[in-house]
Amino acid sequence: QVQLVESGGGLVQPGGSLRLSCAASGTIFSINSMGWYRQAPGKQRELAARLASGGTTNYADSVKGRFTISRDKNTVYLQMNSLKPEDTAVYYCAAAVRGSPLSTARDYWGQGTQVTVSS
């Protein structure tokens, strides 16, 4: 089993910055990808940013140029700058993890952290 623990959410004014962290622990052989998804009230969960093990990144068009995803070992970060009210959502960490050399990757999710952008 793998646990993902997020931190760093909170309330910030428009134009401000936040940095989210997500640490993976448990039975981990390798991590294929880590990413951040977000879900605003009344909306579907959507990809914000994703980082594959080879270094490829994907960003939602709405966050390009403002958000930066990075990773250090089993922890993934999301640096969020120039935040807008429409960035308000619960942010979920996700990881595709292989538990052993013979296993395929499984998807794991964190519990979510609230980000509120408001004056």
Side-chain angles (χ1 to χ4, degrees), residues 17-61:
S17 298
L18 280 176
R19 189 192 195 206
L20 305 182
S21 301
C22 171
S25 62
T27 305
I28 299 172
F29 170 72
S30 65
I31 300 178
N32 289 4
S33 67
M34 299 188 82
W36 291 93
Y37 290 73
R38 64 185 186 180
Q39 187 167 18
K43 295 188 176 181
Q44 290 188 332
R45 190 174 298 188
E46 64 175 5
L47 173 71
R50 178 180 175 271
L51 175 60
S53 58
T56 301
T57 56
N58 299 98
Y59 292 96
D61 287 342

Side-chain angles (χ1 to χ4, degrees), residues 12 35 41 52 55 66 85:
V12 63
R66 300 187 298 120

Side-chain angles (χ1 to χ4, degrees), residues 69-85:
I69 189 169
S70 62
R71 178 182 160 188
D72 180 16
K73 296 181 181 178
N74 293 345
T75 299
V76 66
Y77 304 95
L78 186 67
Q79 179 65 44
M80 304 185 293
N81 298 329
S82 303
L83 283 162
K84 304 175 181 180

Side-chain angles (χ1 to χ4, degrees), residues 8-11 18 20 39-41 87-91 112-117:
L11 173 65
L18 280 176
L20 305 182
Q39 187 167 18
D87 294 318
T88 296
V90 177
Y91 284 70
T113 185
Q114 177 70 46
V115 171
T116 302
V117 185

